[in-house]
Amino acid sequence: MYTTIQKWGNSQAVRLPKDILEEANLQENDKVQIKVRDGNVIIIPDKKRKTLKERIAEFKGDYECNEWNTGKPSGNEVW
């Protein structure tokens, strides 16, 4: 697939087609690292989104489930 380098403000930009983003599992606002290796520009995902399972595995704190007071009703809440 080919694209063109275009002016974007004081910089230059390359638009990444949707198919390329999907294949690389990237989305808008994902952080990437850009490197030049042997004259080639390489885009590397900075961090992939963690799954819930990965996030839970990293949790090292104590968790105590309890209720909390959200204040007095301010409208037509059911008590």
Side-chain angles (χ1 to χ4, degrees):
M1 186 173 293
Y2 292 89
T3 189
T4 305
I5 297 174
Q6 299 176 330
K7 186 168 180 63
W8 188 4
N10 290 328
S11 300
Q12 302 294 312
V14 175
R15 296 176 75 169
L16 302 174
K18 181 181 176 185
D19 293 344
I20 296 293
L21 291 174
E22 287 176 354
E23 190 173 337
N25 196 24
L26 289 170
Q27 297 178 13
E28 183 178 347
N29 296 319
D30 282 355
K31 293 183 187 256
V32 295
Q33 182 180 26
I34 302 174
K35 292 184 176 185
V36 176
R37 207 175 284 153
D38 299 324
N40 295 306
V41 177
I42 302 171
I43 301 173
I44 304 165
D46 185 36
K47 284 189 175 178
K48 286 295 184 186
R49 287 174 288 285
K50 295 180 183 177
T51 64
L52 178 58
K53 187 175 183 177
E54 291 170 330
R55 291 174 189 241
I56 291 171
E58 291 177 354
F59 183 73
K60 303 295 182 217
D62 293 329
Y63 177 75
E64 183 179 322
C65 183
N66 54 23
E67 295 181 8
W68 65 93
N69 185 350
T70 59
K72 293 182 180 180
S74 62
N76 295 324
E77 294 92 343
V78 176
W79 265 84

